[in-house]
Amino acid sequence: MATLTWPLVIAISPAASTAITAGVLTDTGWRPSNSGDKIAWGDVDNDGDLDLAMQGKIFLNKNNALSTAPDWTAPLTDDPTASIAWGDADNDGDLDLAVGNYSESDPRYRTARIYRNDTPPGALTPTMTLAWSADEFDRTVGIAWGDVDNDGDLDLATGISFGPNRLYRNEGTDSSGNLRFRLIWTAKKRDAHQKCSLGLTMTGTAISTWPPATGVFQPIRSVNRC
């Protein structure tokens, strides 16, 4: 059994939180000021402990306790966040945050975005800079990092509700330091909620070789389709 060296807080809702310590669940007393069901752990300030991203907010871990109020909030507060994932998009040694948004009524708030981590060493609050937004206005309910072309940087997959999943290739940064991601693959459109991950399979189709000879992912074997 793994031994946890500090309490791990599991955010369930503003009314409840639980910690795991030596296999025993105890209440830590942590109550975030905002609720959210899209969460991801990551050491955003590189201080050796895990911080928490929830929706479009970041709660820092300070002395083994999470802040109850967010230390950073996405500037585009109208974005209804439906998926988040940490990953080092620019290979500078710190974690950047990918955010997928979902709006039923307004397509302007459906785009996927990447916030670059510009937090200086020893800073008390994170500095996250909007460095890329997808051109497509999708209902992005799933988002995942992975090096699909084995070139040493992380590419981005998005899972779309009532639309085609997509894959964006990481092409580095421009002269202004903004991230460059290019859409290189779009799945067959399906009227279903779709989740996305990079690995052996994506949207029911497995990756055989890169780049595929036909410009689309080729199936190696039959898998469950989303």
Side-chain angles (χ1 to χ4, degrees), residues 74-157:
L76 301 175
T77 54
D78 289 327
D79 281 350
T81 301
S83 52
I84 56 176
W86 293 105
D88 188 0
D90 50 3
N91 279 341
D92 65 348
D94 55 28
L95 291 176
D96 309 299
L97 187 65
V99 175
N101 298 301
Y102 184 124
S103 174
E104 290 284 4
S105 58
D106 195 331
R108 292 176 300 169
Y109 305 129
R110 293 177 186 166
T111 187
R113 308 187 193 279
I114 299 175
Y115 291 93
R116 186 183 62 233
N117 188 347
D118 293 327
T119 306
L124 299 179
T125 57
T127 301
M128 308 294 290
T129 305
L130 179 60
W132 177 81
S133 296
D135 293 329
E136 294 71 32
F137 296 105
D138 294 323
R139 298 177 176 92
T140 307
V141 295
I143 202 160
W145 296 100
D147 186 3
V148 70
D149 50 1
N150 287 326
D151 65 346
D153 54 29
L154 292 178
D155 309 298
L156 190 69

Side-chain angles (χ1 to χ4, degrees), residues 136-202:
E136 294 71 32
F137 296 105
D138 294 323
R139 298 177 176 92
T140 307
V141 295
I143 202 160
W145 296 100
D147 186 3
V148 70
D149 50 1
N150 287 326
D151 65 346
D153 54 29
L154 292 178
D155 309 298
L156 190 69
T158 58
I160 310 303
S161 176
F162 299 103
N165 290 352
R166 306 186 192 277
L167 177 62
Y168 299 87
R169 182 163 60 199
N170 188 339
E171 298 188 342
T173 59
D174 60 21
S175 58
S176 299
N178 294 315
L179 297 171
R180 298 172 62 242
F181 280 76
R182 182 168 64 90
L183 178 64
I184 61 170
W185 179 76
T186 301
K188 180 181 177 181
K189 183 174 180 179
R190 299 181 64 85
D191 287 335
H193 290 278
Q194 303 184 53
K195 297 297 183 180
C196 211
S197 63
L198 279 174
L200 294 177
T201 62
M202 187 167 73

